[in-house]
Amino acid sequence: MASPSTERIGLKHGAGGRAMRMLIGEVFASLGGPVDGIGLSALDDGAALRLGDKWIVVTTDSHVVHPIFFPGGDIGRLAVCGTVNDLAVMGATEPLGLTCAVVLEDGFLRRDLERIRDSMKAACAEARTTVVTGDTKVMGRGEVDGIIINTAGLAVTDRVVTDAGLRPGDRILVSGTLGDHGLAVMTQRRDLKLEGNIVSDVAPVNGLVRAALAAGGDGIVAMKDPTRGGLASALHEMAGKARVGIVLEEERLPVTPEVRAAAEILGIDPLSVANEGKVVLGVRPEVAERVLAALREHPLGRRAALLGTCIAERPGNLILDTGLGKRLVAELEGEPLPRIC
Ligand code: MG
């Protein structure tokens, strides 16, 4: 067998699934040292470093979505929301500021860049934050595909919520419909003509998480944004870290008819498709109904659903209860759609 060092990186290594997690574990994990808090080794949505009696939360993301403009958003809105949301699901709902580093290809249209900037400004306003520092680089034609945006975010919080806090009996909630972002990008890319439009859900969820935390308090024990790899990937990670099984009730999965139809045509499972304006929450059973009600009261949470339960059996596994029987949901190598965010 060839030594791993002679392997080459493939698209699957950026796709949010098992292949990416293995690459990070084998290549990057040793970059992380011991920290007072949650560091690289936790592989959470961001880091949380102790600062007196508070936590500094920091996260970074690069955005390579193709096409850069898609129904419901663009690469700029995605870059702001992706970072705001990674902070929010760590419990840090009030971002102090974002960084923005842009890599452009020679020949990129200035008009498009200004449109992306406007969209970033609007998303920052929705999230009640702003860009505080940045960087611009240009590469030659063909050396990069149009534009790459990296954003990082910084926030301070009193309480951190990791993605590892589940225990048997906890309930799983999701804040709305599944698969909208990935399928909006994919139908645009393939120029699929479908009945009804699929629009990306890309949005900052920090206000929604704020409302959930106000309702559920310490009863909210795990959170994640189900981006690449979708809800299935997020739940596999949460189940694996907490060594619990998660049973999902299929009839409660919120999926629009448009997304269901497009997913069927493309032969993919909406459970495994990226969302960019959703939160998965693990909560203690006694606060589940209260958190669900708080989510549904928020404009971004109208279709929130209580759809799963953690069990002690089958640790690390995701089990779909179809109503007729139960089956294991396999963990994918990665998001079935490359360059989705
Ligand atoms: Mg995340």
Side-chain angles (χ1 to χ4, degrees):
M1 205 174 90
S3 97
S5 309
T6 62
E7 275 183 32
R8 291 183 189 269
I9 303 304
L11 281 171
K12 67 175 181 182
H13 291 112
R18 208 168 59 88
M20 189 180 84
R21 264 213 313 286
M22 287 184 66
L23 179 77
I24 294 170
E26 290 164 9
V27 177
F28 294 113
S30 64
L31 276 177
V35 293
D36 185 7
I38 295 155
L40 190 61
S41 62
L43 299 180
D44 208 322
D45 297 284
L49 308 172
R50 213 179 269 284
L51 183 76
D53 59 351
K54 294 191 183 296
W55 297 89
I56 283 203
V57 179
V58 60
T59 186
T60 184
D61 260 290
S62 294
H63 300 273
V64 299
V65 65
H66 171 76
I68 57 175
F69 299 105
F70 49 82
D74 57 56
I75 191 170
R77 182 171 176 82
L78 194 62
V80 168
C81 297
T83 293
V84 166
N85 295 351
D86 272 337
L87 293 176
V89 294
M90 296 292 293
T93 56
E94 320 304 322
L96 290 171
L98 307 181
T99 73
C100 171
V102 181
V103 182
L104 293 158
E105 181 184 9
D106 175 25
F108 194 80
L109 274 178
R110 178 166 165 147
R111 181 179 68 221
D112 285 349
L113 189 59
E114 288 172 352
R115 187 173 156 197
I116 290 165
R117 178 224 35 218
D118 288 344
S119 156
M120 292 183 82
K121 276 178 81 167
C124 280
E126 284 172 52
R128 292 197 230 152
T129 191
T130 181
V131 171
V132 292
T133 186
D135 177 55
T136 310
K137 297 284 190 318
V138 179
M139 294 181 73
R141 267 174 208 257
E143 292 175 357
V144 59
D145 185 13
I147 182 170
I148 296 173
I149 303 179
N150 177 279
T151 44
L154 197 67
V156 173
T157 185
D158 292 327
R159 177 175 172 244
V160 168
V161 181
T162 71
D163 58 6
L166 296 174
R167 68 184 187 202
D170 287 344
R171 307 301 311 275
I172 301 294
L173 295 107
V174 66
S175 65
T177 56
L178 300 169
D180 304 75
H181 174 73
L183 284 159
V185 172
M186 194 40 81
T187 51
Q188 173 88 350
R189 199 185 293 169
R190 299 270 185 93
D191 205 16
L192 278 187
K193 301 277 177 273
L194 298 165
E195 291 282 323
N197 283 335
I198 302 177
V199 175
S200 167
D201 58 334
V202 57
V205 297
N206 56 325
L208 180 67
V209 171
R210 191 187 301 127
L213 287 171
D218 289 347
I220 294 178
V221 293
M223 285 195 283
K224 212 158 182 62
D225 55 337
T227 55
R228 280 173 299 175
L231 182 69
S233 195
L235 290 177
H236 269 121
E237 242 185 290
M238 293 165 96
K241 288 177 180 180
R243 305 308 298 156
V244 296
I246 296 177
V247 181
L248 282 187
E249 289 170 60
E250 189 170 39
E251 59 168 26
R252 293 180 185 241
L253 293 175
V255 179
T256 67
E258 292 80 13
V259 162
R260 204 174 284 286
E264 210 146 281
I265 290 168
L266 294 166
I268 48 187
D269 182 352
L271 257 188
S272 298
V273 175
N275 310 278
E276 293 291 344
K278 299 287 151 48
V279 196
V280 193
L281 305 99
V283 306
R284 296 287 184 246
E286 57 274 17
V287 302
E289 288 296 338
R290 211 182 321 145
V291 173
L292 179 65
L295 289 172
R296 284 183 174 166
E297 251 169 54
H298 192 280
L300 292 177
R302 295 236 161 86
R303 294 209 52 196
L306 184 52
L307 43 66
T309 306
C310 299
I311 57 172
E313 300 77 38
R314 293 271 187 184
N317 284 293
L318 184 57
I319 300 131
L320 194 65
D321 184 344
T322 63
L324 301 169
K326 290 180 181 168
R327 67 170 173 89
L328 281 184
V329 179
E331 187 175 18
L332 294 183
E333 277 283 286
E335 161 84 35
L337 320 168
R339 291 188 60 186
I340 214 73
C341 61

